[in-house]
Amino acid sequence: GESSVDESAFTGESIPCDKSVGENVSAATTNLYGAIKCRATRVGSDTTLSKIIELVENTSAKKAPVSKAADKVSGIFVPFVIAIAIITFIVWIIITNDFGFSLARAISVLVISCPCALGLATPVAVVVGSGIGAKNGILFKSAQALEETGKAGFVVLDKTGTITKGTPMVTDIFTTGDISEDELLKIAAGLEKNSEHPIAKAIISYAGEKKITPANATDFLALVGHGICATIEDIKVMGGNLSFMTSNNIDTSLVEKITNKLADEGKTPLFFSTKEKLLGVIAVSDAIKPDSVQAIDDLKKSGLKTLMLTGDNHRTAKAIAKISEVDYFISDCLPEDKEAVISRLKKHSKVIMVGDGINDSPALVSADVGIAIGKGTDIAIESADVVLMKSTLKDVLGAINLSRKTLKNIHQNLFWAFFYNCISIPIASGILIPHFNIALNPMLGALAMSLSSIFVVTNALRLNFTDIYKIKRTIKNTPDFKEIFYENNNCNQKECKKMKKKVTIEGMMCMHWVAHVEKAFSELGGVLVVSVSLEDKCAILSLSEDIDDSLLTDTVNNAGYTVISIENC
């Protein structure tokens, strides 16, 4: 059969994909309308969804908790102070032969150096920082997430549902002849009101906003992958794509330039006509969120490099990248491709990944910090380290600034805690007694120790007065994306259009040999993802740049195998 399938969970493409006999469909995608009979070629752990879950689990296992410097120092500091106290007692008992005086000096050292301030320095700042984040709808799942977010040099953004709204919307209406825009919209809404297609819903919703009542349509007929037909006021009316118009001998030359421009802007043009002539065009696209452009600009002004990763097609991705002004974009990305790109970026700097879909979850886990949009899928929220409850990109900068401020506050607290001890311990041990006859009473030592803790807590509470959305540029030696994804540094492209090649190999007999081939290809520059099939005796390479076939052949030969053929996918 034929149908339209919503594959946005995997690809991020907001417009449904038309399917006909012989094409592949995946579990966990949604059949919108049309009856289809499918043959299961991959089941259980072999399905695409299971592979995504496996990627998430494997990457999660690789994450190790960051060791806190204060914990390490405390482990050395406490026995060090005890040793100083013992030495102080021995020195003064030898000098004065006064047990009470010597014991008082030793106790003063122990009391004044009690590492309360040192122990409070990190957790109190983390608690205050997390609380400020929660007030602003930014939820940090751990202290590690709060610490790592501000260290990032790259911010990687999903497109659909992150930069864009994630649902199709009417953007443009063009008419031909004497028909008005309202009349065209009335006819279009009448045609689409019986359809469950997301584009149909966008047109009906737009007509509702304009308070236009859909025309009464009869004899409704949906032609999956092409368009729809119906009778309105005894006139046969059609709506659909360009090929549907062409197959019905409708002349579309009047709007050719307009539709080409719309397509370049990442919009989907829909044609409406009677049996004899074209009535007009309605363009639909996944609109950018109102604050996305400003949020991305703020991230760039703060010294961060922005990259858009999307499973959408190159043309649409390029249009959104141009509007949003991200530094770079990569289109046609599958979930494993996104994870591979993140892993590659991590070799150069800390990486933040922002996403909302199932297809983003491997990348969210792989990144140093995964940030999920609050309106996203459960698996994305579960995979992320930070959740933005207000689902706005401006909170990405808020999370980064809050992390930077909190980390700076922790460093201040640790400095003052150490500085206090460096001054107070010698005084408590009696270093001033020979010259000034000043001895520190243990009770005053306890008071000084308490004041140091109060100072650390008060300093942490200053975070409450921080404007987390203020732009403050931080200079980072983060390389440009073209230096990472292209060997030719003279390349001026701002986008990376992912290419695929299929290499058929002779000689692979077991999974050990598969791993050997994967390793050989992975070490080549320009290779994003390697997928080797023992059953099909081939390797599928996802490339960020074209690699000469002779180099691929030499790589296989050096690994001890023979190339049968190389073809573009």
Side-chain angles (χ1 to χ4, degrees), residues 122-137:
T122 299
V124 72
V126 168
V127 169
V128 175
S130 298
I132 295 168
K135 287 178 183 177
N136 289 277

Side-chain angles (χ1 to χ4, degrees), residues 469-487:
Y469 299 105
K470 184 178 180 180
I471 299 171
K472 184 176 181 181
R473 184 170 181 83
T474 301
I475 305 300
K476 289 181 175 290
N477 295 320
T478 309
D480 291 331
F481 291 108
K482 66 181 180 182
E483 295 176 15
I484 299 172
F485 294 111
Y486 290 91
E487 289 182 358

Side-chain angles (χ1 to χ4, degrees), residues 29-66:
T29 58
T30 306
N31 181 28
L32 296 177
Y33 61 82
I36 56 175
K37 186 176 181 180
C38 307
R39 178 167 57 91
T41 58
R42 288 184 290 164
V43 297
S45 61
D46 292 328
T47 62
T48 303
L49 182 62
S50 295
K51 294 293 184 185
I52 292 175
I53 294 171
E54 184 182 353
L55 273 172
V56 172
E57 290 175 345
N58 291 343
T59 311
S60 296
K62 297 176 186 175
K63 276 199 169 181
V66 177

Side-chain angles (χ1 to χ4, degrees), residues 263-286:
D264 288 337
E265 293 172 355
K267 300 173 183 178
T268 302
L270 301 172
F271 300 82
F272 295 90
S273 73
T274 62
K275 198 172 182 180
E276 293 81 22
K277 64 176 184 177
L278 184 70
L279 297 176
V281 177
I282 296 179
V284 175
S285 77
D286 183 8

Side-chain angles (χ1 to χ4, degrees), residues 144-309:
Q144 179 186 343
L146 181 58
E147 178 183 319
E148 293 293 300
T149 303
K151 298 177 182 178
F154 297 121
V155 176
V156 181
L157 304 162
D158 173 47
K159 180 184 77 69
T160 308
T162 303
I163 295 177
T164 66
K165 294 180 178 179
T167 54
M169 298 178 63
V170 172
T171 57
D172 304 272
I173 299 178
F174 300 96
T175 62
T176 58
D178 298 329
I179 190 171
S180 68
E181 289 187 3
D182 287 353
E183 289 174 321
L184 177 60
L185 191 57
K186 181 177 181 179
I187 292 170
L191 270 176
E192 302 284 6
K193 68 180 179 181
N194 293 316
S195 173
E196 296 180 353
H197 199 284
I199 290 179
K201 293 179 180 178
I203 292 174
I204 295 166
S205 175
Y206 187 73
E209 291 174 11
K210 294 287 186 178
K211 297 182 180 179
I212 294 174
T213 304
N216 292 323
T218 58
D219 302 324
F220 177 84
L221 176 64
L223 303 172
V224 179
H226 299 287
I228 51 179
C229 300
T231 300
I232 297 176
E233 296 179 357
D234 298 326
I235 299 173
K236 183 180 178 181
V237 182
M238 298 178 292
N241 55 29
L242 180 60
S243 63
F244 184 50
M245 294 291 115
T246 303
S247 64
N248 283 277
N249 299 316
I250 302 298
D251 182 13
T252 59
S253 59
L254 287 173
V255 293
E256 185 176 356
K257 289 184 178 180
I258 292 172
T259 54
N260 287 338
K261 182 176 181 291
L262 292 171
D264 288 337
E265 293 172 355
K267 300 173 183 178
T268 302
L270 301 172
F271 300 82
F272 295 90
S273 73
T274 62
K275 198 172 182 180
E276 293 81 22
K277 64 176 184 177
L278 184 70
L279 297 176
V281 177
I282 296 179
V284 175
S285 77
D286 183 8
I288 289 182
K289 293 178 181 177
D291 57 355
S292 290
V293 176
Q294 185 61 52
I296 291 170
D297 184 56
D298 290 346
L299 288 170
K300 290 162 66 177
K301 288 178 179 176
S302 297
L304 296 151
K305 299 286 177 65
T306 56
L307 166 69
M308 184 179 78
L309 280 185

Side-chain angles (χ1 to χ4, degrees), residues 361-372:
S361 52
L364 287 169
V365 178
S366 178
D368 295 291
V369 178
I371 299 181

Side-chain angles (χ1 to χ4, degrees), residues 103-151:
L103 184 62
R105 303 286 73 72
I107 292 174
S108 294
V109 170
L110 289 174
V111 171
I112 205 167
S113 63
C114 181
C116 293
L118 194 62
L120 285 170
T122 299
V124 72
V126 168
V127 169
V128 175
S130 298
I132 295 168
K135 287 178 183 177
N136 289 277
I138 304 169
L139 304 184
F140 293 92
K141 291 186 179 181
S142 66
Q144 179 186 343
L146 181 58
E147 178 183 319
E148 293 293 300
T149 303
K151 298 177 182 178

